[in-house]
Structure formats: structure tokens, C-alpha cells
Amino acid sequence: MENVVPSLTIVPVELGDRAYDIVIGRGALGQLAERWPALKAGGRVAVVTDSHVQAFHRGQVEQTLARIGVEAAFVAVAPGEGSKSYPVLQHVCDALIGARIERNDLVIALGGGVVGDLAGFAAAIVRRGLRFIQIPTTLLAQVDSSVGGKTGINSPHGKNLVGAFHQPSLVIADTALLDTLPPREFRAGYAEVLKYALIDDRAFFDWLETRADRIFSGGPERERAVAISCRSKAAIVARDERETGDRMLLNLGHTFAHALERATNYDGARLVHGEAVAIGLCMAFRFSVALGLANGQDAARIARHLAEVGLPTRLADVPGGAGDADSLLDAMRQDKKVADGKLTFILARGIGESFIARDVDAAKARAFLADELARG
Ligand code: GLY
């Protein structure tokens, strides 16, 4: 298939002198050289990845680079959230310096959200900023974390507390790379796809409801879903790169999700991020219903669809339990969306009608959590 140019969708992220393209489609990775003409024989490239992704995709990346005479240094970290840490960041930074990657060279982040956040942050700080390209290999990374320039690692105090905004120079979302993704990971990423529909695109929700099976099985609907999600994220990031306003909408479902991840000690065997988001999305809508903002039909429709694709929708679905209302509320207070002691939630008037609600009464949130726990 070497010479077949796949049909690709290009989504621009309009950020002035930091603008870049997201290149989406089956086989997009093979177009790396065409999409990044600065990559020339003799140029230096470091590919940051994890050992799991490396086993699947290193060969293809090496071949793509070899065609233009570029030999890359590979830096592989352990798979999993544990790699978003100070020691692993130090290892990656030193490996980039050791590989003599300089400002005119290139870092490639090849992997899921952990690798993208870690490699992006290393690229932000080594030599005060290196150019980097995101090649996301999970659905979640393709539709969310690889776009928008949030990079960072975790602190013992919480997730993503040390980081920088550092936009990539290009994102290549090759949807064929998702063929090797375990079904659980793919499903988890789907929760983030659905999030875009719930934020402001009811027609996308209607479409997803009848197309999910084809998105999962790898039909052209998969590219379309990734492209619509990326377009939505690109538009929000272009409006509010630094999350002072609209970008907070991307946190729909995430205040609850982060609390659940905390309640399960970030143990991915129990709950992966996207699963927590699936429950969080349902809870954001049920909370909106409880506050008299939205009708119950939309909330039920969302839960039905998520359950149909095999995602969890209730606190009772959390393996080992989600703890009690006070500890969940406490975890939500720790979340970064707390300002002046008030809880900020993303709530909704219906599917596609989400909004930022500041000053949500903590007592109402607690009562809602107690109700959710009692539902079983
Ligand atoms: N994942 C949320 C954001 O990029 O703002």
C-alpha cells in the first residue's frame, strides 16, 4: 500500500503563530514527511513512546522516517499513569538532551494521553522549548489530549499539577492505529467523543446513537467521529487556549470523573479515565435534572446509549464501590475547577446545551451524591 495516498481530513487549529493541523485518517502516519517538510535527511528526531506502543508501532514509524533518510532515537517509558512523574520526566529530558535534540530538531510523542502529556512537557522545557508532533495511538488521545497544548505530569498532590501549555506543531491521528487498541480502551475513548456531542452538538449525538457500532468496527464513521470531535476541540481551543472561559466546557463530566478516579486510587484495573468520564457525563446530566435545569429524557437517553456500547453509567458500576458522599465531595473540592470555595460544574439544559455553572451550592451537590449512592 506504499504508494496509495489515503484520503485524509485536515482540521486546522487556528492559534495565530502557533497554528497547526490535525491530520486524520487511515494511513495518515505514512504522510508524516509530506505533512512536515522540515523533516529532512540527517535531521534529528526523538520518538518518546511507551514499551507497549513501541512493540506495536515502532516499525512503522521507523520505516516512515527511513524513507526520508531520518534515523530516530527512541525513548520508551513504562506504560501507565505512573510515568507522568518527576523521575520519568527527568529521564525523558536527559534522553532528549543525550540524543542531541536541539531547537531545530523534533520530538515525536507516539502513544496515548500519558505519553503525549509527558513528551509534550519535556519538549516544553528542554532547551526552553522544542518542537513536537503528536502521533496519538488511542481514541482518547486522538480526540482530546493530543490537541490543545496541555502538557504535564502528576504531583503527589494530584493529577496534572505540574505542566505547561505547549502546542504541538502537528497532530497525526491515524485511525488505523486504533485497530490494535484493546476494546476496553477504545470504549473509554468513546466517552470523550460523546462529550463533544453533549457540549454543543445535538445532531452529532443523534448520529452517534445510530453509528456507534460502525465507529467501533473501524468503518469510515470512525474517521468522521474523530474529525468532528477534533473540529469541536480545535474551535474551543482557538477561542480560549488558556482555559479562562469556554475551554472549561471540555470538563463536562470531569469533575465527577476526577473524584471517581481519586476514589479508586487511580487504579486503571478498576476504572480507566474514559469510564470515569462516562459515569461523570451521566451524573452531570442527572445533576442538571436534580437542579431543575434539564429534563429527565435526555439524561436517560445518554445513559442508555453509553450502556449500549458497554460503558458504565452509575456509581454502582464502579468496581469495589465509589466511597461515600463526603469523600466524593471532598475530592471534587480538590479539583482544579474550585474558585473561591465555590464549586464550578459544567451543567446542561439538554443534549448539546452545556454551560459553565459557577457558584454551585456544595450542599446540593452533596445531596445529589447521596442520592446517586442510594440508587444502587
Ligand atoms: N481535556 C481538556 C482540555 O484539553 O482542556
Side-chain angles (χ1 to χ4, degrees):
M1 298 293 282
E2 282 283 296
N3 297 317
V4 178
V5 177
S7 96
L8 302 173
T9 304
I10 313 292
V11 174
V13 185
E14 312 276 7
L15 284 170
D17 59 358
R18 283 162 293 108
Y20 55 94
D21 285 341
I22 312 166
V23 182
I24 301 156
R26 285 199 160 259
L29 175 52
Q31 298 281 297
L32 175 59
E34 286 80 355
R35 294 289 153 192
W36 191 250
L39 205 56
K40 294 219 170 64
R44 265 191 293 272
V45 174
V47 180
V48 181
T49 185
D50 72 36
S51 52
H52 186 74
V53 171
Q54 171 164 257
F56 280 105
H57 304 304
R58 176 173 178 156
Q60 199 187 341
V61 173
E62 272 177 338
Q63 273 172 23
T64 304
L65 292 172
R67 280 210 303 274
I68 48 166
V70 171
E71 200 181 315
F74 275 73
V75 184
V77 302
E81 192 70 27
S83 283
K84 280 177 63 173
S85 67
Y86 289 113
V88 179
L89 175 70
Q90 183 180 349
H91 167 73
V92 172
C93 289
D94 285 335
L96 297 180
I97 296 164
R100 296 191 294 125
I101 302 296
E102 302 199 6
R103 289 230 187 121
N104 288 329
D105 301 323
L106 186 65
V107 176
I108 293 178
L110 175 72
V114 167
V115 163
D117 286 6
L118 172 70
F121 188 36
I125 57 178
V126 168
R127 298 188 191 281
R128 299 199 177 88
L130 300 170
R131 285 185 296 197
F132 86 113
I133 289 179
Q134 291 268 21
I135 305 183
T137 59
T138 64
L139 179 59
L140 188 137
Q142 291 194 351
V143 299
D144 184 23
S145 58
S146 68
V147 176
K150 280 189 182 175
T151 72
I153 58 167
N154 302 328
S155 141
H157 293 283
K159 278 182 77 168
N160 299 325
L161 291 178
V162 179
F165 283 97
H166 185 52
Q167 297 293 343
S169 300
L170 177 69
V171 179
I172 295 198
D174 185 336
T175 47
L177 301 185
L178 307 181
D179 292 344
T180 53
L181 209 57
R184 184 178 178 192
E185 285 297 319
F186 193 93
R187 269 200 304 276
Y190 184 78
E192 298 281 2
V193 172
L194 196 76
K195 178 186 77 177
Y196 294 107
L198 301 181
I199 290 172
D200 62 1
D201 194 347
R202 193 177 180 99
F204 186 33
F205 184 88
D206 295 342
W207 184 81
L208 287 171
E209 249 187 345
T210 58
R211 304 300 197 295
D213 53 341
R214 278 174 268 174
I215 294 168
F216 279 70
S217 66
E221 290 83 359
R222 179 185 290 177
E223 276 80 78
R224 178 123 194 255
V226 172
I228 293 172
S229 303
C230 286
R231 220 170 266 133
S232 172
K233 176 140 190 186
I236 291 176
V237 167
R239 287 204 297 276
D240 178 24
E241 183 184 8
R242 297 279 169 145
E243 197 171 325
T244 53
D246 267 11
R247 188 165 178 166
M248 285 184 215
L249 291 169
L250 297 173
N251 292 323
L252 178 64
H254 282 62
T255 302
F256 292 116
H258 291 156
L260 293 178
E261 288 183 277
R262 212 179 151 97
T264 49
N265 293 321
Y266 304 100
D267 176 359
R270 284 171 72 189
L271 199 68
V272 295
H273 177 69
E275 291 166 345
V277 169
I279 299 174
L281 291 171
C282 291
M283 288 177 74
F285 271 75
R286 286 196 292 266
F287 191 29
S288 301
V289 174
L291 294 172
L293 296 162
N295 68 53
Q297 283 98 317
D298 276 0
R301 199 173 152 197
I302 296 160
R304 198 162 50 239
H305 180 57
L306 285 168
E308 262 163 25
V309 302
L311 280 163
T313 62
R314 302 168 308 158
L315 291 179
D317 296 333
V318 177
D324 57 50
D326 287 320
S327 51
L328 285 172
L329 187 66
D330 192 48
M332 288 179 348
R333 284 186 205 278
Q334 308 284 328
D335 202 68
K336 60 184 183 296
K337 290 171 287 296
V338 179
D340 301 329
K342 305 280 189 205
L343 291 171
T344 297
F345 280 92
I346 311 305
L347 298 175
R349 297 197 173 80
I351 292 170
E353 296 174 73
S354 297
F355 64 97
I356 303 162
R358 300 175 205 270
D359 296 358
V360 173
D361 185 355
K364 286 190 178 150
R366 196 198 168 284
F368 169 71
L369 290 167
D371 263 10
E372 287 278 303
L373 287 162
R375 283 163 66 103

